[in-house]
Amino acid sequence: MSNSSSTADDILVCARALITAGGYNGFSYADIAEVVGIRKASIHHHFPSKVDLVRTLVLRYREDAKAGFAALERTASDPRDQLANYVSYWEKCITDASDPFCLCALLASELPALPPAVAVEVRLHFETLSAWLTSAFERGAALGIFRLSTAPRAEAESFMATVHGGMLSARAHGDPKLFGIITTALLNRLSN
Amino acid sequence: MSNSSSTADDILVCARALITAGGYNGFSYADIAEVVGIRKASIHHHFPSKVDLVRTLVLRYREDAKAGFAALERTASDPRDQLANYVSYWEKCITDASDPFCLCALLASELPALPPAVAVEVRLHFETLSAWLTSAFERGAALGIFRLSTAPRAEAESFMATVHGGMLSARAHGDPKLFGIITTALLNRLSN
DNA sequence: GACTCTCTACCTATCAATAGGTAGATGAAC
DNA sequence: GTTCATCTACCTATTGATAGGTAGAGAGTC
């Protein structure tokens, strides 16, 4: 019943959860094999090396993120709503534990030790996210919706830092609701 | 020339840098052996298992953090200055690469996969940090120095999230100065 | 329809390297 | 002699990976 795209996808889904829980070195092909129900050697058929696997995963993640940003811009025209919806997306993921931590944020924490081919993709994700957030702040300022106390890029980086830090704190305290508490304050500041 | 406290300390110092770079599973006794200049087996004399090693490291880190909070309270009476000095401490560490990421924050990111004996200590560190920051916000509010838009605990958690997120962003972008940019905005908000 | 070839997706068996770890020996210091 | 801190030699388990293989599906040819 498994077809090719399904097995490779299963592998990627599994790898994502394992990385999000324990980092690049915290999982092995054997772990995936157990979850997906195939042998370790078969994973090599789809992903010849661990680097290939994780790099593919990050590339997919980046594509999905770009699609997500585009969707945010279609579903709300007000940049404040776009940012709020971005945060709501993560709050839902964290609260229902479907995706409790940004893959690239997790990998970024161990960036010095990542294989270069993976590291470069993780950096690119941060650049994309930063650029999108910056553009949201720029648009909001141009429309008079936001009054920025610093440059749009700095606002964007602060916003991003708070979101990622909120994920970390929710995890550290074992309290998913904490992400919402932290980001509510963040979003409230956008309304002042 | 090596004495017992020096070798064990060397091991801990080395382990800290390795964990901070690549997480709990990103280093091995062999890595430490190479840096410290002893055999892998000798490390077991000082730390019988990897869990013992990392747990000892986190305990030490927590002691140092408590001492640091006490020092911050001695060297400045104004809670705003205490928070600013806390941030300055990290900015210096990140900028001169002496300690570019909070050990417990790094370990917190992979908390689900940590050995329980280590995980509990990491959580305790977050509780201690959160309590100290909360007390700073409470004192600042009581003295009329801060006007809080949310409860002191929420302010503290937001502050912490931004600091940790700033570390992450600096690392992800490969730009240590970014931590300062993010935290300057954070501290400026304390002055309003 | 039967046969052949190619492809896909899986497998077993195996490997080298590495991981955390153990036990006993050795030498230095007291 | 005892203690401490190191070592060698070795262990089991696990890791990412390789080589060779099987089985079934699909397409093309007769």
Side-chain angles (χ1 to χ4, degrees):
Chain A
M1 62 188 69
S2 293
N3 63 59
S4 81
S5 69
S6 181
T7 302
D9 285 345
D10 290 346
I11 292 168
L12 288 169
V13 166
C14 181
R16 180 168 170 177
L18 292 173
I19 292 171
T20 299
Y24 184 87
N25 293 297
F27 84 104
S28 67
Y29 271 28
D31 298 321
I32 297 175
E34 188 176 329
V35 171
V36 176
I38 56 175
R39 290 294 183 267
K40 206 172 48 156
S42 305
I43 302 175
H44 288 284
H45 168 78
H46 298 274
F47 303 101
S49 72
K50 190 172 182 178
V51 172
D52 291 328
L53 170 59
V54 179
R55 183 168 174 271
T56 301
L57 181 59
V58 177
L59 284 169
R60 287 275 185 89
Y61 187 83
R62 287 181 58 221
E63 285 169 13
D64 291 347
K66 285 177 192 166
F69 299 147
L72 287 172
E73 293 185 5
R74 283 198 307 275
T75 55
S77 56
D78 181 330
R80 187 195 294 127
D81 291 339
Q82 288 170 15
L83 294 176
N85 292 343
Y86 172 74
V87 169
S88 294
Y89 165 80
W90 276 117
E91 186 171 8
K92 178 178 178 303
C93 291
I94 291 161
T95 307
D96 68 19
S98 62
D99 190 14
F101 212 99
C102 167
L103 173 72
C104 285
L106 196 298
L107 288 171
S109 69
E110 54 195 35
L111 203 63
L114 286 183
V118 175
V120 68
E121 299 300 334
V122 171
R123 285 198 198 281
L124 286 172
H125 175 73
F126 269 80
E127 286 173 17
T128 303
L129 176 58
S130 177
W132 183 74
L133 291 170
T134 300
S135 82
F137 278 101
E138 284 168 344
R139 281 179 277 122
L143 295 171
I145 297 171
F146 302 147
R147 284 173 303 148
L148 307 184
S149 51
T150 60
R153 168 82 199 284
E155 294 282 342
E157 289 293 345
S158 273
F159 187 92
M160 187 201 307
T162 309
V163 170
H164 289 147
M167 290 176 191
L168 187 68
S169 289
R171 173 165 279 191
H173 284 298
D175 181 7
K177 293 193 307 302
L178 194 53
F179 179 79
I181 290 166
I182 290 163
T183 52
T184 295
L186 177 67
L187 292 171
N188 284 345
R189 285 202 299 273
L190 295 182
S191 304
N192 299 340
Chain B
M1 63 188 68
S2 291
N3 64 58
S4 81
S5 70
S6 180
T7 303
D9 285 344
D10 289 346
I11 292 168
L12 289 169
V13 165
C14 181
R16 180 168 172 176
L18 292 172
I19 292 170
T20 298
Y24 185 87
N25 293 298
F27 83 103
S28 68
Y29 271 28
D31 298 322
I32 297 174
E34 187 177 330
V35 171
V36 175
I38 56 175
R39 293 291 183 266
K40 200 171 58 157
S42 304
I43 302 175
H44 287 285
H45 170 78
H46 296 275
F47 302 101
S49 71
K50 188 169 179 177
V51 173
D52 292 327
L53 169 60
V54 179
R55 182 168 176 271
T56 300
L57 181 61
V58 177
L59 284 169
R60 288 277 183 88
Y61 187 83
R62 289 181 55 223
E63 286 168 13
D64 292 347
K66 284 177 192 167
F69 299 146
L72 287 171
E73 294 186 4
R74 282 196 308 272
T75 56
S77 56
D78 182 329
R80 187 193 296 126
D81 290 340
Q82 288 171 14
L83 295 176
N85 292 343
Y86 173 75
V87 169
S88 293
Y89 166 80
W90 276 117
E91 186 171 10
K92 179 179 176 301
C93 293
I94 292 162
T95 307
D96 67 19
S98 62
D99 190 13
F101 212 101
C102 166
L103 173 72
C104 285
L106 196 299
L107 289 171
S109 69
E110 51 195 39
L111 204 63
L114 285 184
V118 175
V120 68
E121 300 300 333
V122 172
R123 283 198 199 282
L124 286 172
H125 175 73
F126 269 79
E127 288 174 15
T128 302
L129 176 58
S130 177
W132 183 75
L133 291 171
T134 299
S135 81
F137 278 99
E138 283 169 346
R139 281 177 278 124
L143 295 171
I145 296 170
F146 301 147
R147 284 173 303 150
L148 307 185
S149 51
T150 59
R153 169 83 197 285
E155 292 283 341
E157 290 292 347
S158 273
F159 187 92
M160 185 200 310
T162 309
V163 170
H164 289 147
M167 290 176 190
L168 187 67
S169 288
R171 174 166 280 191
H173 284 300
D175 180 7
K177 293 193 309 300
L178 193 54
F179 180 80
I181 292 167
I182 290 163
T183 52
T184 296
L186 177 67
L187 292 171
N188 283 346
R189 288 205 296 277
L190 295 183
S191 303
N192 298 340

